[in-house]
């Protein structure tokens, strides 16, 4: 492993510390090295806060002059909520800048790297680019498409059931798996369930991490006819994140008024076979800067997202129980596929042990 690679790996680890806090911005890490020694490091901590490069430069002080800067994303060259990082880099006298990946934002792409090179800074781009893009996969997807990155999540038995034939589902997995599930909630902008899950489980859909750490995502319920009761816990939470209820134009106007008065935001969307149009919902979420969406179920809701080839990544937790039962629901409902050749293939599969549970994660090919 070269020194450049090890320093960029450090920058990527720093960038990951911003997970859950920086949206709608990307996670970025930066490391300054002079004479083989790290003299400054930084990461973007939250939207509106100093960028990673500026944090690293401040930490380095005068030792930044003549140093090499390793940064996970192309430095910005435009005025936004903060001044251009390129100007700070030049003013500090940095000798060389190593960039993992270009910024796809049209206002930035190539501009930061070209500006630095034009002013005498040695610039290289592409070191650990795949890892840098994976770290910010939701953000890159959002910039490219204007829609959120979709993550399907479910907890099930070893034979793929999300509940018993009698409807019991708590708890299929253990504490370690549930804790990781809450960390996943912290990392996304919004979380979604169908009305069936909302009625059966009365969930909170909040992030519950030790010592109150973590950020609650926006809570979304797919409820085409507005059956969510006014007593639902989703409507009575001490949380900074709002609750949105997505319905169709066929929903009763009285229910819209009642839910609005209870504090929910009601999103009236076009119907698709009597249900909320998922593409219309994703367009609306994108317009509201929702870059990542965690779909937690139930089976029919997950099935609808898989049927329409909207899922990008999945996290399936398997508890060491075998439930059986013809009437016990599986993880993914919906229409399904008629022929194996039409089945989307999972790729980049990983398996992780969490106490007595297993987490199988991967990406959906051709989606």
């Amino acid at each position: 492993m070269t020194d450049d690679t090890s320093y960029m790996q450090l920058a990527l680890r720093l960038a990951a510390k911003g997970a859950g806090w920086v949206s709608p911005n990307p996670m970025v890490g930066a490391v300054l090295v002079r004479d083989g020694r790290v003299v400054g490091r930084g990461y973007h901590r939250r939207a509106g806060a100093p960028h990673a490069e500026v944090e690293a430069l401040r930490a380095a002080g005068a030792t930044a002059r003549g140093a090499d800067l390793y940064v996970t994303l192309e430095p910005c060259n435009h005025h936004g909520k903060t001044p251009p990082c390129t100007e700070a880099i030049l003013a500090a006298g940095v000798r060389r800048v190593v960039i993992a990946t270009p910024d796809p934002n049209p206002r930035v792409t190539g501009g930061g790297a070209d500006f630095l090179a034009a002013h005498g800074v040695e610039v290289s781009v592409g070191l650990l680019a795949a890892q840098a893009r994976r770290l910010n996969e939701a953000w890159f997807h959002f910039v490219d498409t204007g829609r959120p990155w979709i993550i399907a999540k479910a907890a099930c038995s070893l034979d793929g059931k999300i509940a018993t034939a009698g409807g019991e589902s708590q708890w299929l997995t253990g504490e370690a798996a549930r804790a990781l599930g809450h960390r996943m909630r912290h990392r996304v902008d919004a979380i979604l369930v169908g009305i069936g899950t909302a009625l059966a489980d009365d969930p909170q859909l909040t992030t519950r991490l030790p010592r109150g750490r973590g950020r609650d995502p926006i809570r979304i319920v797919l409820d085409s006819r507005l059956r969510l009761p006014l007593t639902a816990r989703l409507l009575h939470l001490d949380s900074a994140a709002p609750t949105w209820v997505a319905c169709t134009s066929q929903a009763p106007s009285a229910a819209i008024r009642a839910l609005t008065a209870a504090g929910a935001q009601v999103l009236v969307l076009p119907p698709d076979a009597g249900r909320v149009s998922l593409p219309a919902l994703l367009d609306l979420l994108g317009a509201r800067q929702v870059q990542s969406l965690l779909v937690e179920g139930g089976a029919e809701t997950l099935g609808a997202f898989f049927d329409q080839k909207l899922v990008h990544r999945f996290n399936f937790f398997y508890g060491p129980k075998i439930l059986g039962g013809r009437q016990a629901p599986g993880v993914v409902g919906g229409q399904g596929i008629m022929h194996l050749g039409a089945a989307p293939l999972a790729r980049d599969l990983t398996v992780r042990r969490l106490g007595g549970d297993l987490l199988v994660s991967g990406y959906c090919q051709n989606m």
Side-chain angles (χ1 to χ4, degrees):
M1 182 186 299
T2 66
D3 287 342
D4 280 354
T5 299
S6 63
Y7 293 136
M8 187 62 79
Q9 287 176 336
L10 173 57
L12 287 166
R13 291 195 296 271
L14 288 168
K17 292 184 175 184
W21 301 113
V22 301
S23 184
N25 294 343
M27 294 172 274
V28 183
V31 174
L32 274 163
V33 178
R34 180 174 170 181
D35 299 327
R37 183 172 64 91
V38 174
V39 295
R41 63 185 75 193
Y43 68 96
H44 188 41
R45 296 174 183 268
R46 67 182 185 279
H51 288 187
E53 302 94 315
V54 173
E55 274 212 348
L57 290 168
R58 288 176 179 174
T63 59
R65 184 162 300 278
D68 296 344
L69 172 66
Y70 298 83
V71 61
T72 59
L73 187 68
E74 182 178 5
C76 64
N77 191 40
H78 65 281
H79 285 271
K81 292 183 179 179
T82 58
C85 289
T86 51
E87 293 183 2
I89 292 168
L90 285 181
V94 171
R95 178 186 72 89
R96 182 170 74 117
V97 176
V98 181
I99 300 167
T101 180
D103 190 324
N105 188 325
R107 295 190 302 171
V108 181
T109 303
D114 292 345
F115 178 85
L116 292 170
H119 286 78
V121 178
E122 182 183 341
V123 177
S124 65
V125 181
L127 179 64
L128 301 186
Q131 292 92 319
R133 288 188 64 89
R134 178 63 60 87
L135 177 68
N136 280 305
E137 58 193 3
W139 181 78
F140 276 99
H141 174 79
F142 179 80
V143 172
D144 289 342
T145 68
R147 283 184 171 182
W149 175 261
I150 309 298
I151 307 160
K153 172 184 170 288
C156 60
S157 63
L158 201 57
D159 57 337
K161 305 293 187 179
I162 61 172
T164 66
E168 187 179 351
S169 61
Q170 295 182 333
W171 296 99
L172 287 169
T173 55
E175 291 185 6
R178 294 198 294 274
L180 180 56
H182 282 284
R183 292 198 293 274
M184 290 177 181
R185 289 180 177 182
H186 164 73
R187 294 176 65 98
V188 297
D189 292 333
I191 181 173
L192 179 146
V193 297
I195 184 58
T197 295
L199 293 174
D201 298 342
D202 193 18
Q204 298 182 69
L205 304 183
T206 53
T207 299
R208 299 184 291 279
L209 294 176
R211 297 186 297 279
R213 294 177 300 174
R215 180 188 54 83
D216 288 341
I218 298 165
R219 298 169 292 275
I220 304 172
V221 180
L222 284 181
D223 186 7
S224 58
R225 292 175 289 158
L226 291 185
R227 294 186 289 149
L228 187 70
L230 298 180
T231 56
R233 290 196 294 176
L234 289 168
L235 303 175
H236 303 281
L237 295 171
D238 181 16
S239 172
T243 295
W244 297 350
V245 184
C247 68
T248 71
S249 55
Q250 299 165 348
S253 56
I256 294 176
R257 291 192 297 270
L259 282 170
T260 302
Q265 292 187 36
V266 178
L267 313 177
V268 182
L269 294 160
D272 180 6
R275 298 183 176 184
V276 172
S277 165
L278 296 184
L281 173 64
L282 297 184
D283 287 340
L284 176 61
L285 296 182
R288 294 188 175 198
Q289 294 293 300
V290 173
Q291 297 183 0
S292 53
L293 176 66
L294 184 66
V295 180
E296 286 206 0
E300 290 305 307
T301 296
L302 284 167
F305 276 87
F306 276 101
D307 283 344
Q308 298 183 46
K309 298 186 180 349
L310 298 172
V311 176
H312 302 105
R313 180 174 172 82
F314 59 86
N315 294 305
F316 291 162
F317 293 86
Y318 290 86
K321 302 176 178 72
I322 298 175
L323 303 185
R326 296 185 182 89
Q327 303 304 315
V331 174
V332 180
Q335 296 286 330
I337 52 105
M338 295 298 293
H339 304 287
L340 285 175
L345 296 177
R347 59 179 177 83
D348 296 345
L349 282 174
T350 62
V351 180
R352 176 178 174 184
R353 185 126 188 197
L354 298 162
D357 304 321
L358 296 176
L359 169 61
V360 178
S361 301
Y363 295 83
C364 292
Q365 189 170 314
N366 301 324
M367 284 196 172

